[in-house]
Every structure is written in C-alpha cells, then in structure tokens.
Amino acid sequence: MKAEIGVIGLGVMGKSLSRNLAQKGFSVSLFNRHLKGKEESVALDFKQAFPELKNSQAFDNLQAFVASLESPKKIMVMIAAGTAMDELLSQITPLLSVDDIIVDGGNSHFEETKKRIKLLQEKGIHFIGAGISGGEYGALHGPSIMPSGNASAYSKIEKFLKAIAAKDAHGEPCCSYIGSEGSGHFVKMIHNGMEYVEMQLLAECYFILNQQGATNFEIAEVFESWRKDLDSYLLEISVDILRKQEGGTSVLDTILDQADHKGTGKWSSIAISNLGTPATLIPAALLTRYLSFFKSYRIQLSKNYPRPGFSDQIATAELKDAYGFARIMNHYQGFSSLAKASNQYQWNLNLSTIARIWTQGCIIKSQFMMRLIDILRKENDILSHPDIQKMIRERHAATQSVVAASIRAAYHIPCLAEAVQFFHGIITADSSANLIQAQRDYFGAHGYLKKGDPSGKKHHTEW
Ligand code: 6PG
C-alpha cells in the first residue's frame, strides 16, 4: 500500500508530528538518514516503539521512501534550518515528479523559503513553508501551523495539517493558509520574536520579586494569581518551573543564568529593522540574552559596582499591571510588524486569522490573544482600539511606578522599561528628532524638512 504522507527527519518535532499524523488515521512513511555511529535504524526503531505506527513504513533509503508514497507525493520535512534543507532538496528533487509537494516544517528563514519555492517551481514541484509552533507537546497533541506558498498546493495538504493542528475555542484548526512566498515562516519568526519578549517579561517579574525576598514558591503563587485575567502558556509553565523541586531543591535555582537562542529572535530583529518598524522590544529581549552570556564579566563587575538593592517595595498588584501593560506593547509591535511586512511584500496577511491560530497550540497562546481576534478584525493598529486604550490607561501609572522603583534599585528590567519608554515615544506628538536633523545638517549637510512646508523639499542651513 502506498502511504498518504511521508515525514523526513525524526528528531523531537518530526517524531511527534509523525505520531500525531498516525493517530489521526493517516498512513505515514517515515524516513531518517543513516549516519554511521550516530543515526542508525532511527525510523525502524521509532516505528517499533509506538503502536500507532504499526502500519507505518520505516526507511533510511531515500529512494525507497519516496517510492512508498502515493502520487502526488506529500512529504513533511522536519530538519534543521539552513544548508541541511538545501542538501536534502538536492538529493530528493531528482526523485520527485510534477505536482509533488514538499512541506518545510522547520524554522527556516522566510527569504530562503521564497528562493526554494521558486527553485522547485521550475521543476513543477511545490514547496510549502510551514511555521510550526508548540514544541514537542504541541507537535504531538496539536501545534499551531502557519503554512505559505502555492495556494493550490496547500489545498492538497490542508487536510493533513488541519487534522493534526490544535483546535481553537470553537473547535476550528489552528492552521490557516497565511499567504504567498515565505510569509508563513515570516509569521512564525515574528511569533518567536514575541515569544522572546513574553519570556523576558516573565523573567523580569520573577527577578523583581526574587530581589524583594520572595521565595520561588511565593513567586509561583503570585504568578498563579495572575492567571485569572492574564493567562498564557508561558505564565502557566513558569508557575510549574518555580514549583519544580528535585531532592528538596528548586530546579530553577540550579540553572545557570545564560539564555540560549537558536536564531529566530535575531532574524526577527533584523527583519523588523529592514522593515523600519519601531518594534523595540524584540531586539531588547534578544540583546538581553546576549548580555546573559557575559556571566563571568557580570560577576567581576558586580564586585566593582555593588547594586543599591531595592529601595521601595514594589507591590505585586502594580507589578501585575506593568506586566500586562508591557504585553500589550509586545503584541502591538508584533502585529504592526506583520502589517508592515504584509504591505511591503504584498502578502495580504489576515492579522485576525493569525491571532486566531495563535490562541492554541503555540508558545504565545494566551487569553489576550483571544481578545485580539476580534480587535484585529476591526483594527490593524491595536493601540487605536478603545478596549486596548482602556487597558493601557488603567495600567500606565503602575508601570511607571514599577520601572522607576526598579531603576532606583538598579534592577535590570530591559523589556518592562522599554515597553513604557516605547509607549511614551509613540504618544509624543512633538519629539526631539528636530535636533537630530539639525545636527545631521550641521555636520553632513543632509538637509531637513521644514514644519508647515508640505512640498517635501529639503532645506539646509549654513550653521
Ligand atoms: C515554538 C518555539 C520553537 C523555538 C524553540 C527554541 O514556537 O515551538 O518558538 O520553534 O525555536 O523553542 O527557540 P530559541 O532557541 O530561539 O529560544
């Protein structure tokens, strides 16, 4: 019997997705390369380990794997982003026929996906870039899936992706066609950028409470109390992490404070800079991860520059408001970056649909994301929506107070601070950028626009 779909790459995500596909009743062929001494008999061992795979076929020979699939062939590739994908495509393309479909479910760069779509199109082969969020658990029980590329090719694999995707509050799959080219991987990349900020904000709240003497259990109780109206996957797992003990010791206290990153946060920062959007929080969260790697230098400097320690107690109610305020800024910046990309690349992204498929399955799923489905139906710019304006007004003063007290105490809270600074910038009608223009004209004769002169003519002064 020919299999309906094939999966290449049986790492954490590939295995979970394969099991998810099999559990939904699809016949699946499994492939993992043979690497002597490193990856041997991976597909066969995997097949034998899970009863739902008993009707699957296992291969480490690519030709036999491709031959085992019904036509048009549909293959999900779950391997590392970058050159590994190009190497695989060079091996598998000669084995494929017109109208066969490759789905790249890795965290590939959207510009590489655009190139791959074009390259395979010349051979009549379809390439779909699908951002997949939710980690190992999500891949097995229901991820959020952001596919893009050729719409007619997508329609041929839609049933598979929608079957395995998480379901939203109305039972609809958290999978929707995003748009052309690599727009799906772009959306996933921005998801990851927002994820960095959400994680950093929780880390800063944890830090403030810790510095004020709260134990991990007490911080877990505070975070748990926030879940009533600020619930999210990341808040929920942070409560679990804070409560996790091994041998009577908090696991969290044993973890070295150096935050790793696989690259999507860097790509997001570069992409938003290229778009010219002032999405200031994603770079702030990324660069804070870089700073965390200066561990020995931080220890050395901490001896020369003792921090004053906290001055005035920061109330948990105010901290909660600051956290909620900063999350609004993160979501504004993320969605406005998507809106800018949609215009710039002519992707015609549906922001409300993207919010919907981010309400389950993905890492940044949250109650707030559910509110955004309706808000983004009316308004791409969430700061202009009355409901959001009310949320901001209710939390602004507390945020200022938390940031001010933290700065006086020399706490490092880059994203909480940047959130309120960004807000102050975006609501300042007359800024100080005129002095920058004057300076540029003074030393570089770059010229400047004059207030009240709509002509767009550049003026220059002999300073
Ligand atoms: C997801 C996650 C995932 C991410 C890893 C590591 O949506 O499931 O975002 O795709 O790549 O969690 O990310 P970093 O190493 O960049 O933190």
Side-chain angles (χ1 to χ4, degrees):
M1 283 289 283
K2 298 280 187 185
E4 293 169 283
I5 190 165
V7 178
I8 292 179
L10 298 174
V12 166
M13 292 295 284
K15 282 181 175 173
S16 297
L17 281 176
S18 301
R19 291 181 57 201
N20 191 340
L21 283 163
Q23 287 168 6
K24 299 303 184 296
F26 296 114
S27 52
V28 186
S29 279
L30 309 163
F31 173 87
N32 198 88
R33 62 185 177 180
H34 176 87
L35 271 188
K36 192 161 175 45
K38 284 190 184 155
E39 296 179 39
E40 296 182 353
S41 180
V42 172
L44 186 59
D45 296 350
F46 171 52
K47 167 187 162 63
Q48 289 165 345
F50 295 98
E52 65 265 39
L53 298 174
K54 69 178 183 310
N55 298 323
S56 300
Q57 301 173 66
F59 301 90
D60 61 7
N61 174 290
L62 197 57
Q63 198 148 359
F65 164 77
V66 172
S68 76
L69 298 171
E70 68 184 21
S71 290
K73 300 182 193 303
K74 295 165 279 299
I75 301 168
M76 284 201 76
V77 180
M78 301 302 296
I79 63 176
T83 52
M85 176 57 79
D86 294 317
E87 279 156 30
L88 175 89
L89 290 177
S90 64
Q91 292 163 20
I92 199 168
T93 307
L95 306 174
L96 299 177
S97 313
V98 170
D99 281 340
D100 286 350
I101 301 167
I102 297 268
V103 182
D104 172 8
N107 274 335
S108 296
H109 193 281
F110 74 101
E111 284 171 340
E112 290 195 334
T113 299
K114 179 180 177 182
K115 285 181 204 147
R116 290 169 182 146
I117 289 172
K118 200 166 176 317
L119 183 74
L120 269 68
Q121 215 154 25
E122 289 158 12
K123 302 175 173 67
I125 297 165
H126 301 295
F127 189 85
I128 297 281
I132 297 180
S133 177
E136 180 181 13
Y137 181 89
L140 179 59
H141 299 289
S144 168
I145 306 177
M146 298 146 258
S148 72
N150 177 295
S152 67
Y154 168 70
S155 66
K156 295 188 177 62
I157 47 120
E158 183 176 33
K159 72 171 181 180
F160 299 96
L161 299 183
K162 288 197 166 181
I164 62 172
K167 303 298 178 279
D168 69 14
H170 303 289
E172 289 301 310
C174 290
C175 171
S176 181
Y177 178 69
I178 296 293
S180 61
E181 300 174 342
S183 55
H185 277 139
F186 183 94
V187 168
K188 173 58 168 66
M189 177 190 74
I190 295 296
H191 164 280
N192 279 35
M194 293 167 72
E195 170 190 302
Y196 276 42
V197 177
E198 291 294 299
M199 294 165 75
Q200 179 61 33
L201 289 172
L202 283 163
E204 291 173 20
C205 293
Y206 153 69
F207 182 77
I208 289 171
L209 293 168
N210 170 276
Q211 294 294 301
Q212 293 192 149
T215 66
N216 288 350
F217 278 122
E218 289 163 341
I219 298 169
E221 288 310 297
V222 170
F223 279 9
E224 182 63 33
S225 72
W226 293 0
R227 292 189 58 194
K228 272 189 282 299
D229 51 342
L230 287 177
D231 204 14
S232 74
Y233 169 75
L234 286 169
L235 182 60
E236 179 187 2
I237 69 167
S238 298
V239 171
D240 293 348
I241 290 164
L242 283 157
R243 287 175 173 159
K244 184 74 177 174
Q245 299 261 318
E246 268 174 11
T249 307
S250 159
V251 176
L252 180 59
D253 290 346
T254 66
I255 296 175
L256 186 62
D257 59 316
Q258 293 185 177
D260 243 328
H261 48 93
K262 284 187 190 160
T264 48
K266 181 178 73 173
W267 289 350
S268 311
S269 302
I270 293 167
I272 52 186
S273 299
N274 290 338
L275 286 168
T277 47
T280 56
L281 289 164
I282 294 175
L286 171 73
L287 298 174
T288 301
R289 292 201 185 186
Y290 292 178
L291 187 144
S292 74
F293 267 82
F294 286 70
K295 176 71 176 175
S296 50
Y297 189 47
R298 289 190 281 121
I299 291 169
Q300 176 201 323
L301 284 188
S302 68
K303 298 186 180 84
N304 309 331
Y305 298 93
R307 290 189 299 114
F310 76 90
S311 47
D312 30 350
Q313 187 77 6
I314 293 169
T316 52
E318 284 203 325
L319 185 57
K320 177 187 174 187
D321 280 346
Y323 171 60
F325 179 97
R327 293 189 64 223
I328 294 171
M329 296 305 143
N330 182 29
H331 286 73
Y332 166 76
Q333 291 187 1
F335 281 102
S336 56
S337 299
L338 292 176
K340 181 70 186 292
S342 184
N343 291 333
Q344 182 135 334
Y345 303 124
Q346 282 106 43
W347 287 335
N348 192 28
L349 299 181
N350 183 320
L351 300 190
S352 175
T353 298
I354 291 168
R356 184 188 70 75
I357 66 173
W358 282 353
T359 56
Q360 279 302 340
C362 71
I363 303 293
I364 61 171
K365 70 181 183 181
S366 72
Q367 260 177 7
F368 184 54
M369 194 66 78
M370 294 175 79
R371 293 285 303 275
L372 291 180
I373 298 172
D374 194 42
I375 287 171
L376 286 163
R377 223 176 259 126
K378 303 181 176 69
E379 190 70 70
N380 269 358
D381 159 21
I382 68 172
L383 296 187
S384 301
H385 193 282
D387 292 0
I388 298 290
Q389 289 173 356
K390 182 172 181 293
M391 290 180 202
I392 289 173
R393 274 195 285 273
E394 287 168 349
R395 295 179 169 88
H396 183 211
T399 307
Q400 290 174 294
S401 154
V402 165
V403 170
S406 296
I407 287 173
R408 278 196 297 277
Y411 294 160
H412 182 227
I413 49 148
C415 282
L416 283 171
E418 177 47 38
V420 75
Q421 282 292 18
F422 166 78
F423 178 65
H424 293 160
I426 206 84
I427 62 170
T428 299
D430 292 314
S431 72
S432 55
N434 55 337
L435 179 60
I436 293 170
Q437 282 295 77
Q439 291 161 341
R440 293 177 67 250
D441 190 51
Y442 189 108
F443 60 68
H446 294 293
Y448 54 83
L449 300 180
K450 255 193 183 308
K451 288 176 182 170
D453 174 0
S455 70
K457 183 167 89 59
K458 281 285 181 79
H459 298 262
H460 170 65
T461 296
E462 286 305 327
W463 297 95

